[in-house]
Amino acid sequence: MKTLSHALNRVLLLFSHNNIADRERLAGVLSYAATRSDWDIRILDRSSATYASDYLQTTKEWQPDAIICVATGDYRKVLPVWSSPQVFKIKLEPPEDDDDSDADVAVRIDAQALAMAVVDHFTERQYHHFAYYGTKAPEEAAYSSLGEHHFKSVLRKRRIDCSCFAEATGASLSERLEQATVWLNALPKPCAIWAYSDVLAHHLIDACRSADVWNFSLATSGDDQKGGAQSVPRQVK
């Protein structure tokens, strides 16, 4: 594992504010940064619509000595050829994954335990129909698929079927909401749904408002109050 040099001053953090995994990574980095008086920190939100332009402007004008980001590989596409800061990569991985070749440090998660917590949350409330709402977005697809895999696995052991849907990339928000509405209408009711992230959960709620469909319960493993992240399922009716 590589460490950042003590001589570094300008450190740029690239994290997404709209999902719990990145917020927890960021909290860990900031906790360490608080012990370093020689660090000057700037944070860019990877989920922002202006992220690409903000990144290029910040790296050009501020010229960071180091960048801390998630090991998704996309940082290579936006690093300017004239710039050569140290890149410190963080990878989120399941316990059984030992391949951290593209990361300087790995943060392990137990997706199966989280899936079991969500299923228990719903079965305690007497739900018999289940669904999973994920995403195909490149930066989150792997984690979304991991959650779907364990959710279906836990339900399969209890002999419960699960309907799964993943938001397509490249579609406009209105198109995604329309697709979500069609999917929701086809689900057996009442239905318990686990949304991969808060953003997706809000998309589902917007789709329900549009179609006036409310006979379901929704859980998300994130917390949209930034800085207070908790992995606690929340129920929405």
Side-chain angles (χ1 to χ4, degrees):
M1 170 177 162
K2 293 180 285 186
T3 57
L4 295 174
S5 168
H6 286 264
L8 295 177
N9 293 312
R10 299 173 180 170
V11 182
L12 180 61
L13 310 183
L14 309 178
F15 293 96
S16 174
H17 289 175
N18 69 3
N19 71 74
I20 186 172
D22 257 20
R23 293 200 300 271
E24 289 183 342
R25 296 184 190 109
L26 178 59
V29 172
L30 291 178
S31 178
Y32 173 73
T35 69
R36 299 295 303 269
S37 60
D38 57 330
W39 280 23
D40 183 8
I41 297 290
R42 286 194 183 182
I43 305 171
L44 289 185
D45 181 5
R46 289 162 52 96
S47 60
S48 169
T50 60
Y51 167 69
S53 59
D54 291 344
Y55 175 84
L56 292 175
Q57 181 179 355
T58 301
T59 52
K60 183 177 181 179
E61 297 179 358
W62 196 53
Q63 296 186 1
D65 298 296
I67 294 174
I68 298 179
C69 63
V70 182
T72 60
D74 62 339
Y75 63 87
R76 298 190 186 93
K77 301 176 184 177
V78 293
L79 284 176
V81 294
W82 46 262
S83 177
S84 57
Q86 294 188 43
V87 178
F88 186 79
K89 303 175 294 296
I90 299 176
K91 179 182 179 183
L92 182 71
E93 62 182 19
E96 64 271 15
D97 184 0
D98 293 323
D99 179 15
D100 61 349
S101 58
D102 194 35
D104 299 298
V105 61
V107 180
R108 297 188 181 277
I109 59 172
D110 193 339
Q112 183 179 28
L114 182 55
M116 290 180 64
V118 174
V119 172
D120 288 342
H121 172 81
F122 283 136
T123 54
E124 287 171 2
R125 289 157 177 78
Q126 304 301 311
Y127 280 92
H128 304 287
H129 304 299
F130 291 79
Y132 181 86
Y133 194 77
T135 179
K136 294 180 181 178
E139 67 274 14
E140 298 185 77
Y143 310 140
S144 175
S145 296
L146 183 66
E148 176 182 333
H149 167 76
H150 285 292
F151 193 52
K152 291 167 64 176
S153 177
V154 171
L155 289 170
R156 191 180 304 115
K157 292 178 181 178
R158 304 186 188 191
R159 298 183 178 180
I160 301 174
D161 293 329
C162 178
S163 174
C164 300
F165 182 84
E167 279 195 357
T169 58
S172 66
L173 179 58
S174 61
E175 290 172 331
R176 281 179 282 170
L177 292 180
E178 183 178 352
Q179 294 168 357
T181 301
V182 172
W183 179 69
L184 282 170
N185 282 325
L187 292 175
K189 309 295 190 305
C191 190
I193 305 173
W194 180 20
Y196 162 72
S197 69
D198 291 324
V199 172
L200 295 177
H202 286 303
H203 288 177
L204 278 178
I205 293 172
D206 288 341
C208 288
R209 289 196 181 104
S210 174
D212 196 23
V213 177
W214 293 105
N215 47 351
F216 75 96
S217 284
L218 174 64
T220 173
S221 52
D223 187 333
D224 57 11
Q225 297 298 319
K226 297 172 186 176
Q230 300 176 13
S231 296
V232 180
R234 296 198 306 278
Q235 189 173 10
V236 179
K237 286 189 176 181

